[in-house]
Amino acid sequence: MLLIALALVVAAAGIGAWVYYDQTRGGQAAAQPQAKAGKGRGARGGDGGPTPVAAGVAEVGEIPIYLSGLGTVVPMRTVVVRSRVDGELVRVNFTEGQYVKEGEVLAQVDPRAFQVQLDQAEGQLIKDRALLANARIDLERYRTLFEQDSIAKQQVDTQAALVLQYEGTVRSDQAMVDNARLQLSYARITAPISGRLGLRQVDPGNIVHAADANGVVVITEIQPVTVVFTLPQDNLPALMQRVKSNAKLAVEAWDRGFRVKLGSGELLTVDNVIDITTGTVKLKAKFANADLALFPNQFVNARMLLDTRKGVVTIPSAALQRGSQGSFVYVVKDDDTVSVRPVKLGPSDGERVAVESGLAAGERVVVDGMDRLREGARVQAGARR
């Protein structure tokens, strides 16, 4: 037993010595590439040389001020075309989705019953006109006889009253004729406005009524078309100043991803109240929609050009940095060192932003690589790719 224990102790000591030797040798081997790599970085300027960055130039230019909001395409007019008379729909003259002009015949209701009513009214008018003509002749005869002192004055007055009675009857008959003619014209269903037709609501052979809720078809006027969109109430003061000066404010309609421009238009009006639930106000813009890119009830992004700031200093938006003290940029000085410069920003437009103060035109600012920079760091500035 003693010999076995002694053998185990010797084996354990040998294994420990081998592990120590292996770790020591491995650590030295790993340290040599790291030292070489560090030396290489210093040679390329990572630690001791200038930091490569991309720089842009502050320029004097103009910045358009846009206000954007979510909007909905609304037709100028939407009309449910209904029959004004009751009867059988005998003919439909339109195709679903067709563009029609105002006054164009869309459908025909059976006109025979209305033609009969017109003929009856015209016949009654002819009869009463004949009675009126006869009464007038008798009145002239009675007046002649009265002048000859052949009849009493009462008979002349009675005949004159009869003439007035027949004149009233004839006028009433004429109104009945006009009404019957109007009802007959209503049997021809025409387009009240120009626009695009929707789906047909009733087929020929059905009985249509003036009180039908769905009507025959729906017409929407989409050339031109309007877009109703909302803006925060905070934008109202500047907006109303432009509206009061009768400025024509351009409005653009974009798709939901702001990738495709759907049309250009002009602001029509601003609503007269603010929605207290959302704190926004509605605006309406008008678009010609010549290419029919805007469709009723379509959701779009509306962008309105409120004003254009001219002669302002602008820099690339990528140069902006934000810290606890506000916005700042890294300015590349003539000695190829950078300086942290606080700036006061104005409106922005895409890739450029206006600088109200803190920067002068012609100065260079870092637009890429600023994550490794500090105040006074040396840089090697190049153009941004």
Side-chain angles (χ1 to χ4, degrees):
M1 293 295 293
L2 182 60
L3 294 175
I4 294 175
L6 182 60
L8 291 174
V9 170
V10 173
I15 292 174
W18 181 84
V19 170
Y20 174 78
Y21 173 78
D22 183 75
Q23 291 180 347
T24 302
R25 181 181 179 183
Q28 293 175 350
Q32 291 178 357
Q34 291 179 358
K36 293 180 180 180
K39 184 177 180 181
R41 285 196 300 268
R44 291 193 302 267
D47 295 331
T51 302
V53 296
V57 180
E59 301 174 347
V60 176
E62 59 182 35
I63 289 289
I65 302 175
Y66 286 99
L67 301 179
S68 301
L70 184 63
T72 306
V73 179
V74 179
M76 291 290 290
R77 288 182 292 178
T78 300
V79 177
V80 179
V81 181
R82 298 184 176 91
S83 173
R84 296 189 180 186
V85 294
D86 299 345
E88 180 186 355
L89 187 67
V90 296
R91 187 170 63 255
V92 172
N93 300 332
F94 64 86
T95 303
E96 295 170 322
Q98 174 185 348
Y99 288 88
V100 295
K101 294 182 179 180
E102 181 178 352
E104 189 171 337
V105 179
L106 302 179
Q108 177 71 58
V109 177
D110 188 357
R112 291 175 295 178
F114 309 106
Q115 184 63 55
V116 170
Q117 294 175 6
L118 176 60
D119 294 342
Q120 183 179 5
E122 288 177 340
Q124 186 66 38
L125 176 61
I126 293 173
K127 175 184 175 181
D128 290 336
R129 279 177 174 173
L131 292 175
L132 174 61
N134 183 66
R136 285 173 175 170
I137 293 173
D138 288 344
L139 178 59
E140 292 299 324
R141 185 180 298 117
Y142 290 163
R143 284 174 177 171
T144 301
L145 293 174
F146 175 74
E147 290 176 356
Q148 297 174 358
D149 200 16
S150 300
I151 60 175
K153 180 68 166 58
Q154 181 180 0
Q155 191 172 356
V156 176
D157 295 340
T158 301
Q159 188 63 29
L162 183 62
V163 169
L164 291 176
Q165 178 182 343
Y166 282 144
E167 287 178 349
T169 302
V170 169
R171 182 172 295 184
S172 178
D173 291 344
Q174 184 62 55
M176 294 295 292
V177 170
D178 294 340
N179 180 67
R181 188 173 287 114
L182 184 62
Q183 298 302 311
L184 180 61
S185 69
Y186 285 163
R188 298 167 68 247
I189 302 176
T190 59
I193 63 172
S194 300
R196 185 177 187 270
L197 299 176
L199 302 180
R200 186 174 66 244
Q201 302 297 317
V202 62
D203 297 322
N206 288 281
I207 302 298
V208 294
H209 305 275
D212 290 342
N214 294 331
V216 178
V217 70
V218 177
I219 302 180
T220 55
E221 184 181 359
I222 57 178
Q223 287 180 320
V225 75
T226 64
V227 171
V228 176
F229 60 102
T230 58
L231 290 177
Q233 63 179 2
D234 296 340
N235 296 325
L236 265 180
L239 173 60
M240 294 310 297
Q241 284 186 356
R242 299 286 290 163
V243 172
K244 290 179 181 178
S245 63
N246 296 324
K248 294 184 178 181
L249 302 180
V251 182
E252 299 173 348
W254 294 74
D255 66 348
R256 297 181 66 176
F258 257 117
R259 293 185 297 270
V260 179
K261 182 179 176 180
L262 303 177
S264 298
E266 183 179 307
L267 182 67
L268 276 182
T269 186
V270 181
D271 200 2
N272 59 353
V273 294
I274 294 175
D275 189 342
I276 59 175
T277 60
T278 60
T280 58
V281 63
K282 292 182 179 179
L283 298 91
K284 179 183 286 188
K286 182 179 180 181
F287 294 79
N289 199 28
D291 57 355
L292 301 176
L294 298 173
F295 205 79
N297 295 338
Q298 177 183 3
F299 289 104
V300 297
N301 283 301
R303 192 173 73 155
M304 181 178 64
L305 178 60
L306 181 64
D307 200 358
T308 301
R309 297 279 301 276
K310 298 181 179 180
V312 295
V313 177
T314 66
I315 61 173
S317 301
L320 289 179
Q321 298 292 300
R322 289 175 174 81
S324 58
Q325 302 299 323
S327 301
F328 66 92
V329 295
Y330 286 104
V331 178
V332 181
K333 297 190 294 185
D334 294 338
D335 59 356
D336 289 334
T337 61
V338 294
S339 174
V340 177
R341 185 83 59 82
V343 291
K344 181 181 179 182
L345 302 179
S348 61
D349 176 41
E351 296 184 352
R352 299 196 71 84
V353 60
V355 177
E356 300 288 348
S357 62
L359 202 63
E363 291 189 289
R364 294 183 299 167
V365 292
V366 178
V367 296
D368 193 12
M370 65 279 290
D371 54 328
R372 294 168 292 175
L373 299 182
R374 297 294 184 269
E375 175 70 29
R378 294 186 59 82
V379 295
Q380 181 181 354
R384 188 181 185 184
R385 295 181 180 179

